[in-house]
Amino acid sequence: MSNTVNAGIGSDVFRSCFVAVIGRPNVGKSTLVNALVGEKVAIVSRVPQTTRHRIAGVLNGSGWQVVLLDLPGFQKPRDLLTERMQTAVNTTFREVDLILLMLNAAEGVGAGDRFVAEAAFGTGTPVIIAVNKTDLVGPDQLLPMIEQAGELGDYQEIFPISARKGWSLGELKAAIVARMAEGPQYFPEGAVSDQPERVVAGELIREQALRLTREEIPHAVAVNVTRMEQREKGDLVDIEAVIIVERESQKGILIGKKGKMIKDIGSGARAEIESLLGSRVFLNLTVRVKKKWRQNERMLGDLGL
């Protein structure tokens, strides 16, 4: 990918760029990418380390295209899964034209933010800082936060934003677009993500599991969509998926008393998947225990991780 330089908006040539969206876990990266794209391309949860894949969210305009790469949050690898997640972050740093460093206005600048910033500014790639979750703080807290953000490195611009509320996203988007250089159209017009529908469906199921279960579940859960077929007659799509956990106790929590939890997960996921596909869905979920799956190289490969 070519280095990004300033380019005139009125240019006749096609312009594009890749942008790495980085920050500590749970800073709002996926929420921002979804908001900028205008569609749900990445799942969102209050649980740290929700994002496991490198997900491309695509912005299309007249004569330009921006590819936002939603990355897993920076973390110290503790198993093969998190090691691969951090490797995806490190590899992407070397491929992008612009880095969007996100901070949490409600938490201030901490050691984790400084660690991420050091890595970002150390690449030599231009960095824009987005101070997110400004809807949760007042001016007295926000202004010192912006000052702290400015001390992290030689940034291009700083934007106080709220990805959840949509505050100042137009200004942030314009700043990204203004920094594009001449380049190819990486995705077809109208594309919003690089994720296959089967993968997105699995992620939407996992999102519901994260939303509805207790804290002991999230990092141990994965979803494998084993079948996804359109019926020959009608607009019904049959989907079979396996929710994978590491312990029998976790399986019991996911199934719930008299199967209520798994029914609730399926109901919530089905609504999201139907919105994605634009058709009715028959969703069949099962739960299986795979001990230490996060350390199993073959299983991680099967899950695309």
Side-chain angles (χ1 to χ4, degrees):
M1 305 174 193
S2 60
N3 291 329
T4 300
V5 296
N6 290 331
I9 295 295
S11 174
D12 291 333
V13 300
F14 196 89
R15 298 178 301 128
S16 59
C17 71
F18 278 74
V19 182
V21 184
I22 67 166
R24 290 186 294 107
N26 206 30
V27 76
K29 298 181 293 294
S30 296
T31 301
L32 176 62
V33 170
N34 289 342
L36 288 174
V37 172
E39 293 190 31
K40 190 170 188 174
V41 298
I43 68 171
V44 177
S45 167
R46 294 182 179 181
V47 178
Q49 301 167 7
T50 296
T51 300
R52 289 174 174 169
H53 302 82
R54 187 180 81 169
I55 299 170
V58 185
L59 303 180
N60 294 290
S62 179
W64 59 266
Q65 185 174 83
V66 173
V67 182
L68 301 169
L69 299 177
D70 181 16
L71 302 176
F74 267 73
Q75 60 200 299
K76 182 178 180 180
R78 62 181 184 275
D79 50 38
L80 186 57
L81 171 61
T82 48
E83 180 181 321
R84 289 189 175 187
M85 288 162 62
Q86 187 58 43
T87 297
V89 175
N90 296 337
T91 301
T92 300
F93 262 13
R94 299 191 292 269
E95 300 176 344
V96 299
D97 308 300
L98 181 67
I99 294 173
L100 180 56
L101 171 62
M102 293 189 66
L103 306 172
N104 185 342
E107 296 182 356
V109 175
D113 297 303
R114 293 187 180 92
F115 175 77
V116 177
E118 183 178 356
F121 287 108
T123 64
T125 301
V127 177
I128 290 177
I129 299 176
V131 181
N132 191 30
K133 304 189 181 183
T134 58
D135 55 304
L136 302 180
V137 301
D140 292 345
Q141 187 175 347
L142 179 59
L143 293 177
M145 175 67 187
I146 293 174
E147 291 181 3
Q148 293 176 44
E151 296 171 356
L152 290 173
D154 187 17
Y155 63 91
Q156 300 289 305
E157 292 185 72
I158 295 180
F159 292 90
I161 67 167
S162 170
R164 187 171 67 93
K165 296 284 190 178
W167 295 353
S168 299
L169 298 192
E171 292 87 341
L172 175 60
K173 177 180 174 181
I176 295 172
V177 171
R179 284 171 172 78
M180 293 187 302
E182 180 178 352
Q185 182 175 344
Y186 292 98
F187 292 89
E189 186 174 349
V192 295
S193 178
D194 64 339
Q195 300 296 298
E197 288 181 342
R198 181 184 292 255
V199 172
V200 177
E203 286 291 271
L204 292 174
I205 296 166
R206 184 165 69 94
E207 180 180 48
Q208 293 300 313
L210 295 179
R211 185 176 71 84
L212 294 171
T213 57
R214 297 195 294 269
E215 292 183 359
E216 60 200 84
I217 293 292
H219 304 304
V221 69
V223 177
N224 184 21
V225 175
T226 56
R227 177 172 171 263
M228 186 170 178
E229 289 183 4
Q230 176 85 42
R231 291 191 185 178
E232 292 185 6
K233 296 182 180 180
D235 65 344
L236 191 64
V237 177
D238 289 307
I239 298 176
E240 295 179 0
V242 179
I243 301 178
I244 300 167
V245 291
E246 292 184 320
R247 299 193 301 270
E248 288 291 339
S249 60
Q250 295 166 342
K251 178 179 179 179
I253 291 171
L254 280 171
I255 293 174
K257 188 175 182 180
K258 296 183 178 180
K260 184 179 185 308
M261 179 63 73
I262 196 68
K263 289 178 182 177
D264 289 345
I265 291 171
S267 178
R270 184 173 60 252
E272 292 279 358
I273 296 170
E274 287 179 341
S275 178
L276 167 73
L277 301 179
S279 62
R280 294 183 302 124
V281 167
F282 177 80
L283 179 60
N284 181 31
L285 298 178
T286 58
V287 184
R288 294 179 187 169
V289 176
K290 299 288 184 181
K291 294 181 179 180
K292 297 183 179 180
W293 69 262
R294 287 177 288 178
Q295 293 280 24
N296 188 314
E297 188 168 353
R298 179 177 178 180
M299 280 208 65
L300 291 177
D302 291 342
L303 293 168
L305 297 168

